[in-house]
Amino acid sequence: MTEKLSAAMAPAASRPAWTEETAETAGRGGKIVLQSLRQVYYIRNERKKLEEFVALEDFSLSIGEGEFVSIVGPSGCGKSTLLDILAGLAQPQSGEIHIDGKRVGGPALDRGFIMQGYALLPWRTVARNVAYGLEVKRVPRRRRAEICQKYIDLVGLGGFEDRYPNELSGGMRQRVAIARSLAYDPEVLLMDEPFAAVDAQTRETLQDELLRIWEKTRKTIVFVTHSIEEAVLLADRVVVMTSRPGRIKQVLKIDLPRPRTAAGMRVSADYSWINHRVWELLQNDDGPSGRAEAAPAGRSVADEIAPSTLL
Ligand SMILES: Nc1ncnc2c1ncn2[C@@H]1O[C@H](COP(=O)(O)OP(=O)(O)O)[C@@H](O)[C@H]1O
Ligand SMILES: [Mg+2]
């Protein structure tokens, strides 16, 4: 009987819902290739002398076409620095970025950037905000209107086309920002803590919507967050960063089934275990895994006592 019970529990324990990679092994080839990125800022020390502050160090990662990658790490670990470089808004001190084999030199419409602060144009209505990138691309007026309507509907803002940003809630503004980025059809969406400023309920709705939109459009998404749960819910792979300097600590490939929803994940034991594992990695902020500590080949010690079949 005892034997039978343990046999019944065995499959879950031997089939972890994630696998772990170190920075060196994290995906080769791919749509976006980041090679040994390093970024420094110059800050004044107590003696008013300029001092080098390393914000990003030896950051290498390869991201596949249509992949959803979350970057998670404590505040100040270099997430925004990384995304600014990816967007072409900042140049790294050293290292290179290639998208589709081409070196990234500056901002371009192949990448949509969605920030926490919405960055909408306050004097433009929803429809005209969404149209902005299409105007830059010189898409003819009629075609522009069609595309705008498609993405306004996709993010659930049909009926709000003529509103101005100050007449919208935070969640609605973020939907406009998403629609605006999708409308000019970028290859890659870069999102920097896009849902950090909205309430918890709206955040879940936006997460579900982003998942639905991603399933539909299959854009390559790099999503920065300091929320472990959000990173795991959304991503195919979660990149865990350490701070001072910002490096990759570990990359977790998330094997939770899709389609996912925030509510559905909340009752998944595997989801909880992955969250716990990411939390563990963040707690133990002692540099890249494999240098300071041996990376376990799947689950942590705590897994021995709680296979997902127990729930
Ligand atoms: N323009 C800047 N000048 C000096 N230091 C900066 C600048 N931008 C960011 N930093 C510092 O670099 C580190 C990483 O910042 P950031 O990339 O914004 O982190 P995160 O987005 O993970 O919170 C932080 O310690 C921050 O204070
Ligand atoms: Mg940031």
Side-chain angles (χ1 to χ4, degrees), residues 171 193-209 223-228 230-231 233 262:
E193 311 224 20
F195 306 149
V198 299
D199 62 86
Q201 194 75 41
T202 307
R203 188 169 186 152
E204 275 201 5
T205 310
L206 289 173
Q207 290 164 346
D208 286 348
E209 282 182 11
F223 188 102
V224 157
T225 178
H226 62 254
S227 159
I228 297 173
E230 183 168 75
L233 163 69

Side-chain angles (χ1 to χ4, degrees), residues 41 43 53 55 74-81:
Y41 294 113
I43 50 172
F53 175 85
S75 204
C77 76
K79 303 183 295 298
S80 294
T81 299

